[in-house]
Amino acid sequence: MARPTAQQVANAVRHYSSCLLCERRCAVNRHAGERGDCKAGTEARVFRHRIEYGEELELVPSQLFYLSGCDLRCAFCVAEANAFDPSRGRSLTRESLRNAIDWGRTQAVRTLQWVGGEPTIHLPAILDALQGCEGLPPIVWKSDFHNTPEVFDLLEGVVEVYVADFKFGNDDCAKRIARVPNYVSIVTRNLKLAAQQTDLIVRHLLMPGHFDCCLRPVVDWMSQHLPTAKFSLRDGYLPKWQAGQHPELSNYIASDDVASARDLIRKTGLNLIQ
């Protein structure tokens, strides 16, 4: 894939003046110091950077850049405070990214992956940093998919693989646990848009007590609308951050639930990947 064009960077930077990158559509002027729900300004910061081997097999080894700040507020977030405080970490610059990519080459990485928090709220800074780099590896965009449709225009030709978190199968769970309304319609719209643009991996984190309310409707929707898309079941749930505020999320996943989930997915014929 190519580096972002100057026009893509310029179009993204306009969101600093009136931010409509995520579906909260707060339209704040980040240049002027206004802050929306994500609290992000005009600087993207990386709170963790490392090579990962526990991602989907086709992506690893993957060089991951974890950006602080997020537009959702998932109670079980494993990144905990880092995910919600955009002031954490080191500033992302063209120079820092070039140096990191040079190091990644020595580690034989296959992909460069943007994660969070949520990278979408930092899209202008990410595109600017990428534009200053030569010889980029394939770019993976790991996102909560709570973005506005324009984001796909800003990323077209830049991203080789989208990794989308399809977290909740209904709006009630999303509002209660992640504090976001209209979740399902937004994410499913974006899944269809991403599938039309480039390669797509849809992830679902199996959560305790959410088999029927979340896993089952997610699998049903995928089988009806994106039956050939790659589907990745994540079974490593940990009761982190503020999970204890929701009794069912205080538990770990039972091995029987994992087996039942995989059996359900296979019966629908979805393209389950490792």
Side-chain angles (χ1 to χ4, degrees):
M1 307 300 276
R3 289 185 297 169
T5 66
Q7 190 61 58
Q8 281 174 305
V9 175
N11 290 343
V13 168
R14 291 194 186 103
H15 285 274
Y16 283 151
S17 299
S18 180
C19 191
L20 299 173
L21 290 170
C22 87
E23 276 292 352
R24 292 190 185 273
R25 296 181 178 267
C26 59
V28 297
N29 185 341
R30 292 160 67 169
H31 280 305
E34 296 176 4
R35 299 292 181 263
D37 289 285
C38 71
K39 309 301 181 187
T42 58
E43 181 184 51
R45 302 184 73 86
V46 178
F47 70 86
R48 185 182 300 137
H49 163 230
R50 64 190 183 194
I51 308 299
E52 293 275 8
Y53 297 86
E55 304 292 289
E56 287 77 10
L57 292 180
E58 64 189 75
L59 304 179
V60 297
S62 187
Q63 186 173 12
L64 271 64
F65 293 82
Y66 293 81
L67 293 106
S68 54
C70 189
D71 54 319
L72 302 189
R73 289 294 181 269
C74 299
F76 54 83
C77 185
V78 294
E80 301 182 306
N82 288 320
F84 308 118
D85 180 358
S87 69
R88 297 196 176 207
R90 297 183 177 182
S91 179
L92 173 69
T93 65
R94 290 186 174 193
E95 182 181 10
S96 68
L97 183 59
R98 282 195 298 266
N99 291 337
I101 289 174
D102 287 343
W103 173 74
R105 290 193 187 98
T106 70
Q107 307 301 306
V109 299
R110 293 176 63 187
T111 59
L112 186 160
Q113 190 167 171
W114 296 103
V115 297
E118 172 54 40
T120 300
I121 63 175
H122 299 299
L123 184 53
I126 293 171
L127 291 182
D128 181 75
L130 287 171
Q131 194 183 43
C133 298
E134 299 281 354
L136 290 168
I139 302 298
V140 179
W141 194 261
K142 162 71 166 55
S143 171
D144 59 30
F145 261 46
H146 186 246
N147 55 273
T148 55
E150 184 183 352
V151 165
F152 295 110
D153 294 330
L154 298 173
L155 291 172
E156 187 167 9
V158 177
V159 169
E160 183 151 319
V161 182
Y162 286 107
V163 177
D165 276 331
F166 197 166
K167 299 173 185 284
F168 306 103
N170 66 91
D171 288 343
D172 289 341
C173 287
K175 189 171 184 178
R176 178 170 63 89
I177 297 171
R179 289 188 265 167
V180 61
N182 307 316
Y183 174 85
V184 174
S185 62
I186 292 168
V187 171
T188 53
R189 176 202 66 199
N190 288 340
L191 290 174
K192 291 178 181 178
L193 292 173
Q196 294 169 6
Q197 187 178 98
T198 191
D199 199 12
L200 170 67
I201 296 173
V202 180
R203 279 184 179 178
H204 179 74
L205 175 64
L206 186 61
M207 298 179 290
H210 287 264
F211 193 101
D212 290 322
C213 59
C214 287
L215 171 68
R216 194 179 296 277
V218 164
V219 169
D220 287 346
W221 187 90
M222 289 292 299
S223 66
Q224 293 177 37
H225 299 279
L226 294 175
T228 62
K230 298 170 184 175
F231 190 80
S232 176
L233 181 71
R234 312 304 287 183
D235 57 14
Y237 174 84
L238 295 172
K240 303 279 280 186
W241 190 226
Q242 299 172 346
Q245 296 178 356
H246 307 278
E248 81 281 8
L249 296 180
S250 300
N251 302 308
Y252 290 86
I253 291 291
S255 58
D256 288 349
D257 289 338
V258 175
S260 296
R262 293 191 178 279
D263 185 56
L264 172 65
I265 294 166
R266 291 190 185 98
K267 285 180 178 178
T268 63
L270 289 182
N271 183 14
L272 183 64
I273 65 170
Q274 298 298 315

